[in-house]
Amino acid sequence: MQKTRYAAAALAAVAALTLSACGGGDSAESESGSSAEAGGESLRIGIKFDQPGLGYDEGGSYSGFDVDVAKYVANELGVTEENIEWVEAPSANRENLLSNNQVDMIFATYSITDTRKEVVDFAGPYFVAGQDLLVPTDSDIAGPEDLEGKNLCSVTGSTSAQKIKDQYPGVQLVEQPGYAECVTAMGGGQIDAVTTDDIILAGLAAQEANAGKFKVVGNTFSEENYGVGLPKGSDRCEAVNEAITKMIDDGAWDEAITSNTEGADYTFNAELNPPTPAPCA
Ligand code: GLU
């Protein structure tokens, strides 16, 4: 698919050059005009590939709330959907993907934190979630204080794993690259609970394969402000914030959060959502 797109763009570019050559005259102007039409501005956007309802790879087509916000913002920046290259951005790789210039922006349930702000910039927030627990339906675990001596799974490089290490050192923390792996391990009985943001857990619990097996405890113990990750020193923060504000004002934000949580047992925190983007540094 990637190849086809580049091939098509290359063909269009050749056609544009040929046309302007035939037309003669003000070739500089028509060349630049045509090449913009043929190629267009593109963006490499980092998302999750394994979080249903947020960022999910359905065999090369991408769905979820993060994907919808990314598409809206990209469009406001003048980039159409076919000019977005979706890049998988696992929790532990996000800062590196931005610092190494492998992506232009990240929409991946990416909490704004002071530590991360030392290496990347953030626009937003565009959503506020809360850390929670997913447990087997018959479990009596009701909060993090019930986890002493239990096996808890979370993801490397996440604020969720960090919070457990900092505040609940008596818990046996098992780290995986993604939350889907944690849920699989809990299905197999090796894990007693999975922890991360409530909206992520609700999306995983609602998957057909997991129907009836797990429940989100519903007792959040953090505030996760989802930001748009940008390379340090990026000049896009203001424009991204304006796009987020527009998305909230015109109703597209509401539509996106509703459609992407449909079928999941999840209601967003209406006191904290939708948030107002913070001024850019
Ligand atoms: N929002 C948290 C974080 O940014 C947890 C979710 C995730 O790992 O993407 O670390």
Side-chain angles (χ1 to χ4, degrees):
M1 190 159 175
Q2 197 67 355
K3 260 187 191 151
T4 323
R5 177 149 65 76
Y6 288 136
L11 270 178
V14 169
L17 282 174
T18 315
L19 277 176
S20 62
C22 292
D26 52 354
S27 65
E29 199 182 287
S30 49
E31 255 174 55
S32 63
S34 303
S35 74
E37 265 167 42
E41 262 234 67
S42 62
L43 279 175
R44 298 161 304 167
I45 300 184
I47 53 165
K48 293 295 179 73
F49 277 14
D50 58 355
Q51 294 180 186
L54 288 153
Y56 197 59
D57 178 2
E58 298 178 83
S61 90
Y62 302 94
S63 68
F65 179 66
D66 280 341
V67 171
D68 286 346
V69 178
K71 282 183 194 167
Y72 189 102
V73 169
N75 190 57
E76 288 299 307
L77 299 181
V79 177
T80 53
E81 207 178 312
E82 55 281 6
N83 286 325
I84 297 173
E85 185 190 334
W86 301 104
V87 179
E88 184 170 21
S91 297
N93 297 5
R94 292 174 294 198
E95 287 83 25
N96 277 340
L97 284 168
L98 288 167
S99 309
N100 299 338
N101 187 33
Q102 288 167 283
V103 295
D104 299 303
M105 38 182 80
I106 287 186
F107 296 73
T109 59
Y110 197 11
S111 297
I112 302 172
T113 70
D114 288 341
T115 312
R116 289 172 179 167
K117 273 202 226 167
E118 286 170 19
V119 272
V120 302
D121 284 351
F122 284 102
Y126 60 90
F127 189 73
V128 185
Q131 185 167 355
D132 210 327
L133 300 173
L134 183 74
V135 296
T137 312
D138 61 1
S139 168
D140 50 17
I141 294 170
E145 53 292 328
D146 297 337
L147 293 170
E148 194 78 20
K150 296 260 174 22
N151 292 321
L152 175 70
C153 189
S154 196
V155 165
T156 310
S158 67
T159 56
S160 324
Q162 195 57 49
K163 182 151 196 113
I164 297 300
K165 290 182 211 172
D166 292 346
Q167 295 186 8
Y168 303 94
V171 177
Q172 303 292 317
L173 181 68
V174 178
E175 294 190 32
Q176 290 291 323
Y179 300 103
E181 284 99 330
C182 282
V183 174
T184 303
M186 187 160 64
Q190 303 103 304
I191 292 294
D192 302 300
V194 177
T195 190
T196 188
D197 307 338
D198 48 4
I199 187 168
I200 300 174
L201 297 173
L204 288 164
Q207 279 190 300
E208 220 170 279
N210 295 330
K213 290 191 192 166
F214 310 113
K215 62 182 181 196
V216 181
V217 164
N219 177 13
T220 55
F221 49 99
S222 80
E223 240 176 59
E224 305 296 322
N225 287 271
Y226 288 181
V228 181
L230 299 167
K232 193 107 200 116
S234 163
D235 57 10
R236 287 196 168 114
C237 180
E238 305 275 0
V240 172
N241 274 353
E242 275 169 34
I244 292 168
T245 303
K246 185 171 172 197
M247 185 178 187
I248 291 167
D249 290 346
D250 73 8
W253 184 97
D254 253 306
E255 203 177 296
I257 196 68
T258 304
S259 64
N260 285 300
T261 54
E262 214 174 354
D265 187 13
Y266 183 74
T267 319
F268 65 79
N269 183 331
E271 271 163 41
L272 303 176
N273 285 291
T276 307
C280 297

